[in-house]
Amino acid sequence: MSLPHSHEIIETAQRVGLGNYRPAPLVVASGHGCYLRDTEGREYLDLTAGNAVTAVGHAHPRVTEAIARQAAAVLHTSNLFHNEPSVRFAQELTRRTPFDRVFLCNSGAEANETLIKLARRHHHRLGDTARTRIVAATGGFHGRTMGALTLTGRDVYKVGMGPLLGGVHHVPYNDLNAMAEAVGPYTAAVVVEVVQAEAGIIVADDAYLRGLREVCDRNGALLFFDEVQTGYGRTGTFLAQEHSGVVPDACSLAKGIAAGFPMGAVAVREDLAGALPPGSHASTFGGNPVACAAALAVLDAMDDESMIENAAVRGAYLAARLAALAADPEIPALEARGKGLLRGLVLPDHLDPASVLDEFRERGVLLSRVGGQVLRFSPALNITLKELADGLDVVERTLRAALRR
Ligand code: PLP
């Protein structure tokens, strides 16, 4: 079957889609490693990794083989029965993190919904039924379902969506005094990202994260980290929280977990184990054996190819190159920031990031934007030095040309 031309696909998408996305005029046909190919046969260096998802690159043979093998064995079992890949995967997660128990689901938002229910139900079980409030951070992003949307600290996502969940408050990020004032005897949990990614790659201070742990302990509240975007090696450690040494009571994961196969997880410490008794929470597709086989293959690939170490080393190179761009008066970039292979370059207000992204794409490099004026760099963790250097050369040339216009 010959592929329809990309313009036909784009036209059809505009007709039948709900209209809630604004994709670039590029129809992906295939991917390999850090490259994507479109239906016209053009190849692009993908520095987005599908919004920080395809951690081991596109079509990693270990992952595609594991998916095919498991799909041929059994596609779905439901949570009426056990399946080995989900048990093995949960065990792996407990082995690699300070957490003891795992709930498996399908997305980051669903993982964060689970955190909300877990917090409330935990205190309810202890008889502290008034402890239902949750404090999150201004600017934070936690997903689009109603609970996760309520946690999200940017009004732009909430327009016309109310009424939202009750009992959720937001305080400025990286401001420990504001958090200390907000947390009290009715606080069930504090939920923050370790790096606010969608807000524009804003990194939490280690002292802030340590302070959050103290504030929560002092007040009997739980501390949850949303590591949906930062987890899974992206910042050069398995979880981004490891940089600070702070261990929360639970954390949410998704994105890179199965490197493109839809999956999410919540990892919790032992004292939360009984907080969600049978019947209190579930997910039809949670722990799907194909997703878990993919997730196990992702971990194998990461180990065999030292991808987390690569993320740290390449991340340092990326940081240095972006800092040099930000320091160069000939280049319209204001600031570079981030951790590991999750980095942002802040553009000045007069530059339209959408047209800059179009120019990158025309020159064969894919990037995305977050927080309005920030270019997000989130390539696969196994990107080579040459691939990264080539991509940054295109970024540099494009931005230099933008200043001259
Ligand atoms: N939490 C964070 C930190 C995210 O970055 C995202 C997505 O970008 C989500 C939650 C939502 O994840 P999902 O789109 O899988 O529901």
Side-chain angles (χ1 to χ4, degrees), residues 51-53 106-112 140-145 148 152 192-198 226-230 252-255 263-264 376:
N51 285 333
V53 167
N106 307 287
S107 68
E110 194 186 359
N112 288 329
F141 184 82
H142 301 286
R144 306 290 192 153
T145 52
T152 292
V192 294
E193 292 162 90
V194 180
V195 177
Q196 282 192 332
E198 298 297 315
D226 177 341
E227 289 240 29
V228 165
Q229 189 151 167
T230 52
S252 52
L253 295 165
K255 288 199 183 275
M263 186 168 171
R376 173 177 54 185

Side-chain angles (χ1 to χ4, degrees), residues 207-229:
Y208 173 68
L209 298 177
R210 282 194 293 274
L212 291 183
R213 183 68 275 179
E214 278 167 31
V215 166
C216 287
D217 288 347
R218 206 167 49 241
N219 288 279
L222 296 167
L223 177 62
F224 294 160
F225 288 159
D226 177 341
E227 289 240 29
V228 165
Q229 189 151 167

Side-chain angles (χ1 to χ4, degrees), residues 96-315:
R96 287 165 196 257
T97 66
F99 304 105
D100 309 293
R101 304 275 180 160
V102 175
F103 171 77
L104 297 174
C105 54
N106 307 287
S107 68
E110 194 186 359
N112 288 329
E113 293 291 331
T114 305
L115 286 182
I116 297 169
K117 293 173 78 176
L118 187 73
R120 288 183 170 172
R121 188 74 189 226
H122 168 74
H123 295 295
H124 176 89
R125 179 176 60 144
L126 299 179
D128 203 351
T129 51
R131 205 183 260 279
T132 58
R133 294 189 194 167
I134 295 175
V135 188
T138 312
F141 184 82
H142 301 286
R144 306 290 192 153
T145 52
M146 289 306 263
L149 181 65
T150 310
L151 289 184
T152 292
R154 284 178 79 196
D155 292 343
V156 63
Y157 300 120
K158 303 182 181 180
V159 176
M161 300 290 188
L164 299 175
L165 199 69
V168 177
H169 304 270
H170 293 91
V171 293
Y173 193 56
N174 254 336
D175 181 340
L176 193 57
N177 289 334
M179 188 60 87
E181 270 176 36
V183 175
Y186 302 112
T187 308
V190 166
V191 185
V192 294
E193 292 162 90
V194 180
V195 177
Q196 282 192 332
E198 298 297 315
I201 321 289
I202 299 163
V203 181
D205 300 331
D206 288 349
Y208 173 68
L209 298 177
R210 282 194 293 274
L212 291 183
R213 183 68 275 179
E214 278 167 31
V215 166
C216 287
D217 288 347
R218 206 167 49 241
N219 288 279
L222 296 167
L223 177 62
F224 294 160
F225 288 159
D226 177 341
E227 289 240 29
V228 165
Q229 189 151 167
T230 52
Y232 254 76
R234 173 119 325 261
T235 69
T237 49
F238 188 66
L239 298 178
Q241 60 196 251
E242 291 167 36
H243 295 286
S244 68
V246 176
V247 178
D249 297 291
C251 85
S252 52
L253 295 165
K255 288 199 183 275
I257 194 167
F261 207 92
M263 186 168 171
V266 169
V268 309
R269 293 169 81 174
E270 186 61 33
D271 51 337
L272 289 174
L276 290 171
S280 64
H281 190 56
S283 175
T284 291
F285 297 117
N288 173 276
V290 182
C292 293
L296 283 166
V298 166
L299 290 175
D300 284 345
M302 281 185 173
D303 289 349
D304 283 359
E305 297 168 43
S306 305
M307 288 192 206
I308 298 182
E309 292 80 349
N310 194 62
V313 173
R314 300 283 173 261

Side-chain angles (χ1 to χ4, degrees), residues 3-11 13-14 21-31 34-48 50 58 357-368:
L3 284 168
H5 288 300
S6 56
H7 69 265
E8 286 176 46
I9 298 173
I10 291 166
E11 261 175 39
Q14 283 162 354
Y21 298 116
R22 204 170 16 209
L26 184 166
V27 184
V28 175
S30 63
C34 288
Y35 292 91
L36 282 176
R37 188 177 285 272
D38 70 11
T39 47
E40 312 285 323
R42 256 203 96 182
E43 198 164 70
Y44 301 85
L45 177 63
D46 178 14
L47 298 183
T48 73
H58 297 288
L357 292 177
D358 287 345
E359 286 182 49
F360 291 151
R361 197 177 64 255
E362 277 151 27
R363 293 170 190 225
V365 172
L366 304 179
L367 276 162
S368 62

